[in-house]
């Protein structure tokens, strides 16, 4: 068993802390706000609830288990100290600010796993390497998605609706993926290898399932006369489906240009599994299970939401940037970014996650692929 630092009191943080402790790992959990997490700070325990509608083999539907945690703290260094693995199940919008605080606390031989990453592994690796005395043998890796469909359902409770059945793990650089996978397999039975961190990042599905329907349903989201508009339940007609599949096909072409193998986790596997050949992160019945989940309700009150700030500014802009770098035509991806910029009056193509921002845009494709595999700069 491992000592695992869980970073953040997000929905994913509550699920990770509970899940790891239930497996028998020693969990050191960092939460930032004492007011928002008073119950777990006081009790140093959390309840893992499994949805009554849970579909999967790992858990029992309707089961509830309260587990004790080694530490729950608002001191980041205390949570990280002595951990074998440092798991960061936070929205990627939090990465840049978090890394400034996290990097100085890292210790030799730790594996850091971003869940999800959106190629944040590159940022984190650069931040570590810029330290005057960086810790030795730290591996940085990421997943394309949270390992669970989950929501914090009470002050000290997490409800899991679905578990990932396939969870790609890719490191930056890729030559360290095997080490990251060895640790991840002790935490997630669904862990599978990706070639590197970008391989993992380019399987993030949120540009399709969140960004496209948000942009194309912007009027309904902002209309006060429409009550409880849910883009997943009400905003996916044939036209929106066609648009998100066009974006997804562009995403797959980017992956293929980089030589990444299947699975590509295409969105027909989520929306129309009866017509698809492959599977989805969360299994073939993922959408049906998700739409029936008690605790899952996505009703963004405005466009000022993570579906724009994270899934467009970071995930979709990254796709556009990598596609442009590789000379892969991405008209649908570019259009979603352009329309979002107009809707929000923000220049996401300049402020979002681009290869230019990451210092990788001036490389040749061969040099880029070498850096992804081996690290450093040519």
């Amino acid at each position: 068993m491992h000592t695992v630092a869980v970073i953040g009191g997000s929905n994913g943080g509550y699920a990770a802390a509970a899940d790891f402790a239930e497996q028998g790992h020693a969990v050191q959990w960092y939460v930032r706000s004492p007011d928002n997490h008073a119950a777990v700070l006081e009790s140093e325990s959390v309840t893992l609830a499994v949805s009554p509608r849970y579909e999967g083999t790992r858990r029992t539907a309707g089961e509830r288990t309260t587990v004790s945690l080694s530490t729950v703290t608002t001191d980041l260094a205390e949570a990280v100290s002595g951990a074998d693995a440092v798991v960061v199940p936070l929205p990627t919008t939090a990465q840049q600010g978090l890394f400034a605080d996290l990097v100085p606390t890292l210790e030799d031989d730790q594996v850091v796993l971003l869940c999800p990453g959106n190629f944040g592994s590159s940022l984190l690796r650069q931040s570590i390497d810029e330290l005057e005395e960086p810790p030795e043998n730290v591996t940085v890796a990421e997943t394309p998605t949270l390992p669970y469909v989950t929501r914090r359902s009470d002050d000290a409770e997490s409800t899991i609706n679905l578990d990932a059945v396939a969870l790609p793990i890719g490191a930056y650089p890729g030559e360290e993926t095997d080490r990251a996978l060895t640790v991840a397999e002790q935490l997630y039975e669904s862990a599978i290898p990706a070639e590197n961190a970008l391989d993992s990042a380019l399987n993030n599905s949120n540009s399709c399932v969140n960004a496209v329907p948000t942009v194309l349903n912007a009027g309904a989201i902002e209309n006060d006369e429409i009550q409880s508009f849910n883009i997943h339940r009400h905003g996916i007609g044939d036209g929106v489906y066609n648009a998100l599949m066009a974006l997804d096909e562009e995403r797959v072409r980017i992956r293929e240009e980089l030589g990444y193998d299947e699975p590509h986790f295409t969105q027909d596997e989520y929306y129309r599994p009866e017509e698809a050949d492959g599977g989805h992160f969360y299994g073939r019945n993922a959408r049906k299970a998700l739409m029936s989940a008690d605790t899952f309700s996505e009703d963004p009150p405005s466009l000022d939401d993570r579906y724009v700030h994270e899934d467009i500014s970071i995930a979709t802009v990254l796709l556009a940037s990598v596609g442009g770098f590789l000379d892969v035509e991405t008209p649908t991806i570019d259009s979603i970014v352009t329309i979002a910029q107009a809707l929000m009056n923000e220049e996401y193509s300049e402020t979002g996650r681009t290869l230019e921002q990451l210092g990788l845009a001036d490389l040749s494709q061969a040099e880029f692929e070498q850096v992804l595999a081996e690290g450093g700069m040519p």
Side-chain angles (χ1 to χ4, degrees):
M1 295 300 168
H2 289 287
T3 298
V4 186
V6 175
I7 307 303
S10 61
N11 290 314
Y14 270 74
D19 182 39
F20 298 157
E22 186 185 45
Q23 292 181 51
H25 300 295
V27 175
Q28 301 174 176
W29 187 12
Y30 165 75
V31 294
R32 186 176 63 176
S33 168
D35 293 337
N36 195 30
H37 307 289
V40 292
L41 283 163
E42 180 178 353
S43 68
E44 294 197 324
S45 65
V46 64
T47 297
L48 177 60
V50 183
S51 169
R53 296 187 175 92
Y54 178 86
E55 293 189 15
T57 59
R58 185 176 172 193
R59 307 180 197 276
T60 301
E63 189 173 65
R64 294 171 56 83
T65 306
T66 299
V67 291
S68 296
L69 308 169
S70 295
T71 303
V72 185
T73 179
T74 57
D75 184 330
L76 183 57
E78 181 183 7
V80 171
S81 179
D84 306 304
V86 179
V87 179
V88 185
L90 286 172
T92 51
T93 49
Q95 287 177 350
Q96 203 139 16
L98 172 68
F99 292 168
D101 297 327
L102 175 64
V103 166
T105 72
L106 295 176
E107 300 173 352
D108 294 350
D109 301 320
Q110 290 179 323
V111 172
V112 184
L113 186 60
L114 308 179
C115 304
N118 277 323
F119 206 37
S121 293
S122 173
L123 279 174
L124 181 54
R125 181 76 265 168
Q126 291 175 32
S127 298
I128 294 170
D129 291 345
E130 288 170 358
L131 291 174
E132 288 188 12
E133 296 183 12
E136 297 181 359
N137 197 36
V138 171
T139 292
V140 176
E142 63 181 71
T143 70
T145 185
L146 269 178
Y148 329 91
V149 175
T150 182
R151 291 293 181 267
R152 178 184 177 185
S153 45
D154 207 339
D155 287 346
E157 178 182 281
S158 171
T159 294
I160 292 180
N161 301 294
L162 288 170
D163 285 290
V165 298
L167 187 67
I169 308 292
Y172 188 91
E175 63 185 15
E176 297 182 17
T177 290
D178 285 348
R179 178 170 186 254
L181 183 65
T182 297
V183 172
E185 286 174 333
Q186 303 303 308
L187 306 177
Y188 307 112
E189 62 181 30
S190 58
I192 60 174
E195 186 171 323
N196 54 49
L198 187 61
D199 179 8
S200 179
L202 293 180
N203 265 329
N204 185 303
S205 63
N206 285 352
S207 292
C208 297
V209 300
N210 292 341
V212 171
T214 296
V215 167
L216 298 186
N217 288 285
I221 292 170
E222 293 192 311
N223 190 331
D224 293 337
E225 296 181 5
I226 301 176
Q227 299 297 315
S228 300
F229 180 79
N230 184 303
I231 63 168
H232 301 296
R233 297 180 189 275
H234 311 126
I236 312 289
D238 287 344
V240 173
Y241 175 76
N242 291 340
L244 69 84
M245 284 305 300
L247 187 149
D248 204 41
E249 289 166 5
E250 295 168 11
R251 178 188 66 84
V252 171
R253 287 200 292 273
I254 293 170
R255 289 181 50 78
E256 291 174 339
E257 179 63 26
L258 287 165
Y260 296 148
D261 294 330
E262 294 182 344
H264 299 309
F265 299 103
T266 57
Q267 294 313 298
D268 56 342
E269 297 166 354
Y270 177 65
Y271 288 101
R272 299 181 180 178
E274 69 282 356
E275 303 173 8
D277 294 328
H280 186 265
F281 294 122
Y282 299 111
R284 294 189 67 85
N285 295 320
R287 189 164 192 264
K288 177 183 175 183
L290 190 59
M291 292 301 97
S292 67
D294 298 321
T295 60
F296 189 85
S297 176
E298 296 296 326
D299 182 21
S302 73
L303 297 177
D304 186 16
D305 187 81
R306 71 177 182 88
Y307 284 0
V308 173
H309 302 312
E310 180 175 21
D311 298 330
I312 295 177
S313 176
I314 295 177
T316 311
V317 167
L318 177 65
L319 286 175
S321 178
V322 177
F325 174 80
L326 298 172
D327 292 325
V328 174
E329 293 187 1
T330 56
T332 312
I333 293 170
D334 297 341
S335 296
I336 292 298
V337 173
T338 299
I339 296 170
Q341 290 182 149
L343 287 169
M344 303 301 292
N345 195 28
E346 294 281 353
E347 292 297 326
Y348 295 126
S349 57
E350 295 180 7
T351 61
R353 184 157 296 173
T354 64
L355 296 185
E356 287 82 4
Q357 180 205 52
L358 298 172
L360 300 171
D362 292 333
L363 303 177
S364 68
Q365 183 172 340
E367 290 170 335
F368 180 56
E369 293 182 17
Q370 179 181 351
V371 168
L372 290 173
E374 301 174 9
M377 292 294 280

